[in-house]
């Protein structure tokens, strides 16, 4: 913290300085300085006009903070690059408000929803209607691993996925990372095979019932014919 007189600050009038400070007072500015040993530091600066006419200058070394922020940004960029390249759909959802922070390109391709539609939207509106009242992971602490769920794509067509959810912390924020493996194609094939199997089983049941009935009728007809033959034989014997 430094103080200096207005008259010693710069060769300009006190009124000019007062006007400058009135606009800049309490505002924080950044500066980069080089120390005697050749290393550089980042400082934040605040100016305040004191009642006795002096200027209060507050300098704060923010080098470490800026370096940490730079590392976080680099880590975030690396994470984004990895998630963008994944061949499964990925969504990052904030725990505090249940809003979507990030979706990767694969998820938008799978659902038909645009980045703009999904970003900052409530997750249950697009990624799980059954979670509207309570989130199984955030609220009930359940483990969701390759759980088969059906969602609705942008065109309202059914979208079958295997869903997994893990808790994480990104940039100091608690989040859940949701992954979606699209099984719509195999699911449709499975449903078609199931329908075909059920249809085949019905045909087999109907065929079996038809053959059983025909066999019953044939036996009844043969039995009736034997009875008639026996009656004719007995009648001939009686006449003779």
């Amino acid at each position: 913290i430094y103080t200096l007189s207005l008259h010693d600050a710069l060769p300009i009038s006190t009124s000019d300085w007062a006007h400058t400070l009135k606009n800049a007072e309490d505002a924080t500015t950044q500066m980069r300085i080089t120390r005697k040993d050749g290393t550089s530091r980042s400082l934040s600066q605040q100016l305040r006009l004191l009642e006795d006419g002096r200027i209060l200058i507050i300098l704060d070394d923010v080098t470490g903070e800026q370096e940490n922020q730079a590392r976080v940004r680099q880590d975030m960029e690396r994470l984004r690059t990895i998630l963008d390249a994944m061949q499964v759909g990925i969504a990052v959802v904030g725990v505090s408000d249940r809003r979507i922070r990030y979706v990767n390109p694969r998820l938008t391709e799978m659902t038909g929803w645009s980045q703009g539609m999904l970003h900052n939207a409530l997750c249950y509106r697009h990624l799980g209607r059954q979670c509207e009242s309570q989130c199984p992971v955030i609220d009930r602490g359940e483990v969701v691993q390759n759980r088969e769920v059906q969602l609705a794509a942008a065109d309202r067509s059914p979208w079958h996925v295997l869903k997994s959810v893990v808790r994480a912390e990104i940039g100091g924020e608690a989040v859940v990372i949701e992954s979606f493996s699209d099984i719509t194609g195999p699911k449709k094939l499975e449903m078609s095979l199931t329908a075909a199997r059920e249809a085949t089983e019905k045909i087999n049941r109907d065929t079996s019932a038809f053959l059983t009935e025909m066999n019953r009728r044939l036996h009844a007809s043969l039995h009736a014919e034997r009875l008639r033959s026996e009656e004719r034989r007995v009648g001939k014997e009686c006449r003779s």
Side-chain angles (χ1 to χ4, degrees), residues 204-219:
N204 289 337
R205 288 194 301 269
D206 293 344
T207 302
S208 177
F210 172 76
L211 293 176
T212 300
E213 178 63 18
M214 290 299 295
N215 186 57
R216 185 190 66 79
R217 291 183 180 183
L218 179 60
H219 278 79

Side-chain angles (χ1 to χ4, degrees), residues 2-19:
Y2 302 92
T3 59
L4 69 158
S5 168
L6 282 173
H7 297 289
D8 298 332
L10 281 175
I12 60 176
S13 67
T14 302
S15 60
D16 290 338
W17 260 106
H19 177 72

Side-chain angles (χ1 to χ4, degrees), residues 15 30-31 88 90 153 181 193:
S15 60
Q30 300 283 334
M31 66 173 65
V88 295
I90 298 291
S181 297
L193 292 174

